[in-house]
Amino acid sequence: MPGQGAMPYPFMYGYPHYTIPGMQGPPTTPVRHQQSHALQSSPIDINSTANQDVSGFMNWMIERTSDEREVEALIQAKETLLEAMADLDIIKNMSNTEFAELRIPFGLGKRLAREVKRFIKK
């Protein structure tokens, strides 16, 4: 190396980097932060359109009966169907086995599946 004086480009040899006032430092690579896209659990929205339809349908069924035992069974079925997040289309197509799994009596389940079609048309 010619001369032992100051090196022409000290930053190339590991010396501290000095900036001239008004100049920006060397460009930096942006750091990418990982974002978590985990699903957030949320409570059942009983005011959603599908659940309002189920509520409306079940209320319609309750209003049409005068048998106290049947009213009680319909109220329990309403709560169960809302918890199961069923919509009217699901109720219309439910099998006897599916009603049984939700502990909805056989006759009541069959009637719900039949009457939901009538309710949708009105």
Side-chain angles (χ1 to χ4, degrees):
M1 277 192 216
Q4 294 292 335
M7 291 186 206
Y9 306 105
F11 58 88
M12 293 179 70
Y13 300 100
Y15 291 94
H17 178 68
Y18 298 101
T19 58
I20 300 172
M23 287 187 65
Q24 293 183 339
T28 59
T29 304
V31 177
R32 184 175 185 165
H33 297 283
Q34 274 189 322
Q35 294 180 355
S36 173
H37 294 292
L39 295 175
Q40 298 294 320
S41 178
S42 61
I44 296 170
D45 181 6
I46 61 170
N47 294 319
S48 72
T49 304
N51 283 329
Q52 282 183 345
D53 290 346
V54 170
S55 267
F57 167 64
M58 294 304 293
N59 291 341
W60 179 74
M61 289 290 294
I62 292 167
E63 290 168 2
R64 296 178 52 210
T65 188
S66 58
D67 182 334
E68 279 300 314
R69 194 174 124 225
E70 192 172 312
V71 169
E72 183 63 32
L74 285 166
I75 291 169
Q76 288 176 355
K78 176 183 175 181
E79 291 172 5
T80 300
L81 291 167
L82 288 173
E83 275 183 35
M85 299 175 74
D87 61 22
L88 295 179
D89 197 45
I90 290 171
I91 295 169
K92 179 176 68 174
N93 295 306
M94 283 177 71
S95 68
N96 296 337
T97 306
E98 291 169 323
F99 281 116
E101 287 174 1
L102 293 176
R103 298 179 189 228
I104 295 174
F106 169 78
L108 182 60
K110 292 295 256 185
R111 198 159 4 116
L112 290 173
R114 181 185 65 228
E115 293 295 321
V116 78
K117 295 171 192 169
R118 220 155 115 197
F119 180 77
I120 291 171
K121 288 180 184 177
K122 77 174 195 93

